[in-house]
Amino acid sequence: KIKLTLLYAKVLFTEGSVKKASQLLAAINADKNTPTAYWNMLGKAYINLGEFQQADKHFKTWLEFQPNNKAAMLSHLVMLDGKGDFKEALTLTTAALEKKNDDVQVQLLHTHFLMVTQSFDLAQQSYKTLPEKVKELPFARGLKGQLQINAKQYQLALPNMNEAYQAQTNARNSRLLFLCLTRLQKKTQALSFLTQHVNKHEKDIASLMLLASVQLQGNVEEAIKTYEKALIVKADNFIALNNLAYLSFENKRLEKAEGYARRALELKPQQADVLDTLGQILIAKKKYEQALSFLTKAVSDTNVKEEIYLNYIEALLLNNKIVIAKRKIGQREFKLQASIDKLELLKNQYDL
């Protein structure tokens, strides 16, 4: 019966009915004797559907049922890598190599996890133990490239990272290749590469955010467009929302700016920078009472930036709370020249 179910699920998968296939497979009461084909297919279905929590739980269950199944371990390691649980992954690869120290696949992944946990000396030692033929594989070339990047040997790293990227065009490889090009002062080429990567991989949120941060340095309008694309991929992207709120405010697009700021605050209600941005937007819209409300929350942290504290002082003055403003000025020492200059302007403007 299970063979027929797997065959039907495979047909559904091939026809693009992935959801139906996943539902069909999920109805199976799996145990330690359930064939590998079931685990692989259902896991793949969850990933295709973007149900990563389900996929993670699924592969973990598989490994619990079949702890000696290499495919189960590798699938679980891939999920751990995607989640950023590198230390847990490293624990798994370490245990596996203690049982069988000549498993090349596990050796490669072990070296990778040492690398991403910043254990470069151990990663170097692990890389050296790889067979010479294995070192020619694109994944291994990428490992070598990362070691070279860590040693600041960017020229040597470049062809290795390019090989790794051509084989696997993921966010990590694109970031490392971009880094190589940038450190070699090939900034135009680096920007062109990253832009092309993002155009081909529109859902690569990490690369979108990297591109936007680069564009901020020279082309704000393009950065805004890229952050907006990032929000299409992930609507609750706090950094994108926060930056769009500020950039829209700077460009006098107050309605858009307020919308972005309020969405960002829904995610982090106590974040001082967003509270400050929203306060400034509301001041620009002459909604002084609302602005003061948000800026008061922003300065509840005693370590708040001088700039934000001065925006709070300004909001008090705009609301004619002169006595409170004077008292608050006396409670804070300003060290930055920009802050001292702005305070003098406020004092002169309001005859303090």
Side-chain angles (χ1 to χ4, degrees), residues 303-340:
N303 295 318
V304 73
K305 299 172 187 174
E306 290 182 10
E307 180 186 358
I308 295 176
Y309 195 85
L310 282 170
N311 290 335
Y312 164 62
I313 297 296
E314 184 177 9
L316 285 169
L317 294 169
L318 287 166
N319 281 279
N320 204 32
K321 298 183 182 294
I322 309 298
V323 175
I324 298 175
K326 286 181 177 179
R327 187 170 73 246
K328 293 297 181 180
I329 289 171
Q331 292 174 357
R332 178 80 183 242
E333 180 184 359
F334 298 97
K335 298 177 181 178
L336 300 175
Q337 189 59 48
S339 301
I340 295 168

Side-chain angles (χ1 to χ4, degrees), residues 239-348:
I239 294 174
L241 287 167
N242 185 35
N243 288 356
L244 280 169
Y246 180 76
L247 293 171
S248 299
F249 167 65
E250 287 285 295
N251 288 339
K252 312 298 182 187
R253 299 166 186 165
L254 299 183
E255 292 301 324
K256 270 194 168 186
E258 183 177 350
Y260 287 131
R262 289 187 182 278
R263 284 172 63 186
L265 271 184
E266 288 176 7
L267 299 172
K268 293 188 179 182
Q270 305 302 320
Q271 222 282 343
D273 287 325
V274 187
L275 288 163
D276 174 60
T277 299
L278 183 52
Q280 290 185 72
I281 293 165
L282 292 168
I283 286 174
K285 296 178 77 173
K286 301 188 185 305
K287 297 180 179 180
Y288 301 133
E289 284 190 32
Q290 288 185 47
L292 180 57
S293 172
F294 288 108
L295 284 162
T296 301
K297 291 179 184 177
V299 298
S300 60
D301 181 356
T302 54
N303 295 318
V304 73
K305 299 172 187 174
E306 290 182 10
E307 180 186 358
I308 295 176
Y309 195 85
L310 282 170
N311 290 335
Y312 164 62
I313 297 296
E314 184 177 9
L316 285 169
L317 294 169
L318 287 166
N319 281 279
N320 204 32
K321 298 183 182 294
I322 309 298
V323 175
I324 298 175
K326 286 181 177 179
R327 187 170 73 246
K328 293 297 181 180
I329 289 171
Q331 292 174 357
R332 178 80 183 242
E333 180 184 359
F334 298 97
K335 298 177 181 178
L336 300 175
Q337 189 59 48
S339 301
I340 295 168
D341 293 343
K342 180 172 181 178
L343 182 58
E344 282 303 310
L345 285 172
L346 289 173
K347 285 180 176 179
N348 291 332

Side-chain angles (χ1 to χ4, degrees), residues 120-181:
F120 290 106
D121 289 341
L122 291 174
Q124 180 78 55
Q125 293 172 25
S126 181
Y127 176 80
K128 285 180 179 179
T129 65
L130 293 170
E132 290 304 314
K133 286 186 178 181
V134 173
K135 289 179 182 178
E136 293 303 314
L137 295 173
F139 187 83
R141 291 277 299 273
L143 295 176
K144 185 177 182 180
Q146 290 174 67
L147 289 168
Q148 290 165 331
I149 288 171
N150 183 60
K152 299 182 179 179
Q153 297 172 336
Y154 304 112
Q155 193 64 57
L156 293 173
L158 185 59
N160 288 318
M161 291 317 310
N162 185 56
E163 182 76 16
Y165 175 78
Q166 295 303 326
Q168 195 171 17
T169 58
N170 58 25
R172 183 180 289 126
N173 285 339
S174 68
R175 176 178 57 82
L176 291 167
L177 184 51
F178 172 80
L179 175 63
C180 279
L181 291 167

Side-chain angles (χ1 to χ4, degrees), residues 204-228:
D204 183 348
I205 192 71
S207 295
L208 277 166
M209 296 300 287
L210 176 58
L211 177 59
S213 68
V214 174
Q215 291 169 330
L216 272 179
Q217 300 168 28
N219 194 330
V220 173
E221 286 300 323
E222 287 300 313
I224 289 173
K225 290 177 185 177
T226 303
Y227 280 129
E228 288 172 342

Side-chain angles (χ1 to χ4, degrees), residues 110-126:
H110 184 68
T111 307
H112 161 70
F113 290 122
L114 286 169
M115 206 89 70
V116 293
T117 52
Q118 306 291 302
S119 303
F120 290 106
D121 289 341
L122 291 174
Q124 180 78 55
Q125 293 172 25
S126 181

